[in-house]
Amino acid sequence: MPGPAGGTGAAGYRSLLFSIAYGMTGSVGDAEDIVQDAFLGLTRARQAGTAIADMKAYLTTAVTRLGINYLGSARVRRETYVGDWLPEPVVVSADRPGPAEHAELTDSLSMALLVLLEALSPVERAVFVLREVFEYGYPDVARITGKSEANCRQIFARARKRIGTGGQAVDSAPRPARRAEGAELARTFFAAAAGGDMDALLGMLAPDVVFHGDGGGKARAIGKSLTEPRRVVQLLVGGFRRVRTLGVSLRPALVNGRPGAVLRDAEGRVAGVIELDIADGAVRAIHSVSNPDKLDHLGPLSDVARLPRTGS
């Protein structure tokens, strides 16, 4: 944080600001940049003699509007993205703190929800994130976005309708009891995958399970989402067998508030991240990120999953 703006009052909102920016962008690095830009703007405002009556409101508004501006260019980039797009994972390791101390605030920002939010316009996404995820009242949402309260109600209703059939992901923030149950199911699931126990895996998958993989054209990943439990199981067993021969192991972790794991090679470098979306005692979606551009915030990266570079 910049020195002049980094007082206790301003810095205390950092995790909230990060979570709003991350909900807007789906990117850890870009969310951090947006928060930094908001603090720089605060510094300039103070230097210009501007009185800030409500620090939280000022910074929340700045981050939200910077996020809206960001989404215009991000949409163009994602139109040419290779394969499935998944957000950058927010990871909290089971044995040491992860890169984001804001894990609690991002519990409601699962990968499934962030993928759904890609269908919204920048303003729809801002209104939805503020209202649905962070439970801001309509008067506050209107002030932050610069829209009327009536308009914000219409925008929210339209956004919720556009998300439509994916609404289950919106309401899937894990409760403490469900989180403990999910963690136990994840341990059993990963053990079965590592041991090649196809029958056990089939018993843990929802009938409509979906496997999403994001390699970004730079790392090994499936070309498009995979459905049908038996095909997903075959992919998992084959994939776990392959990475084991490369010396890759799984470290349990919370990924966007859900049970998951970080794949690390023999030197401890990051090769990928897996998130399990668990509901009603079954795995209903698996999100696997191997794109190195989306993992470099987690530490040194492994080459085991990288595709050969082409061209000069």
Side-chain angles (χ1 to χ4, degrees):
M1 291 304 130
T8 303
Y13 299 118
R14 187 183 191 285
S15 58
L16 170 63
L17 299 173
F18 170 87
S19 290
I20 291 173
Y22 178 68
M24 291 288 292
T25 66
S27 165
V28 172
D30 290 327
E32 294 285 5
D33 288 345
I34 285 172
V35 173
Q36 184 73 3
D37 286 346
F39 273 83
L40 287 171
L42 175 60
T43 298
R44 295 189 189 102
R46 283 176 162 176
Q47 290 172 345
T50 303
I52 309 297
D54 187 331
M55 186 67 67
K56 181 180 179 182
Y58 178 93
L59 290 169
T60 300
T61 300
V63 162
T64 301
R65 295 188 182 183
L66 286 166
I68 290 173
N69 292 337
Y70 161 91
L71 288 174
S73 60
R75 191 173 298 277
V76 173
R77 294 198 303 271
R78 288 172 195 172
E79 286 175 354
T80 59
Y81 196 80
V82 178
D84 275 1
W85 178 92
L86 291 175
E88 292 181 14
V90 174
V91 176
V92 177
S93 174
D95 55 7
R96 60 189 175 93
E101 68 278 12
H102 14 254
E104 290 185 7
L105 285 175
T106 54
D107 273 359
S108 297
L109 296 170
S110 68
M111 286 195 171
L113 175 58
L114 289 167
V115 170
L116 289 175
L117 294 182
E118 289 291 297
L120 304 181
S121 73
V123 173
E124 285 175 337
R125 185 162 181 164
V127 169
F128 187 90
V129 167
L130 290 170
R131 176 67 182 155
E132 182 73 20
V133 179
F134 295 98
E135 300 182 340
Y136 277 83
Y138 282 111
D140 289 328
V141 175
R143 174 186 50 76
I144 291 169
T145 59
K147 306 293 181 181
S148 70
E149 186 175 337
N151 196 6
C152 286
R153 290 180 183 274
Q154 294 172 349
I155 292 170
F156 179 76
R158 185 167 65 242
R160 185 118 188 154
K161 184 177 181 180
R162 290 188 68 183
I163 287 177
T165 56
Q168 189 178 23
V170 176
D171 302 315
S172 63
R175 304 293 186 270
R178 293 215 317 255
R179 177 178 287 177
E181 180 183 345
E184 180 58 34
L185 178 60
R187 281 191 289 271
T188 305
F189 181 87
F190 287 129
D197 191 338
M198 298 183 69
D199 289 337
L201 286 172
L202 281 170
M204 288 182 273
L205 296 181
D208 57 349
V209 66
V210 183
F211 186 104
H212 302 274
D214 181 346
K218 298 182 178 182
R220 292 181 180 86
I222 58 173
K224 60 181 180 179
S225 300
L226 187 66
T227 59
E228 206 284 304
R230 189 163 295 278
R231 295 175 66 203
V232 171
V233 165
Q234 291 170 345
L235 175 68
L236 285 168
V237 171
F240 272 70
R241 184 184 301 119
R242 182 171 60 254
V243 298
R244 190 167 58 248
T245 64
L246 297 173
V248 174
S249 60
L250 267 71
R251 314 279 178 87
L254 278 178
V255 181
N256 288 56
R258 271 71 180 164
V262 178
L263 284 74
R264 295 185 180 273
D265 66 15
E267 284 72 45
R269 297 171 300 185
V270 177
V273 169
I274 298 175
E275 181 220 47
L276 302 182
D277 191 349
I278 296 173
D280 300 323
V283 177
R284 65 183 183 189
I286 303 167
H287 299 94
S288 174
V289 180
S290 55
N291 182 349
D293 294 343
K294 297 186 176 183
L295 301 174
D296 59 2
H297 63 284
L298 300 177
L301 299 179
S302 174
D303 290 329
V304 296
R306 286 183 186 264
L307 295 172
R309 291 183 174 87
T310 58
S312 53

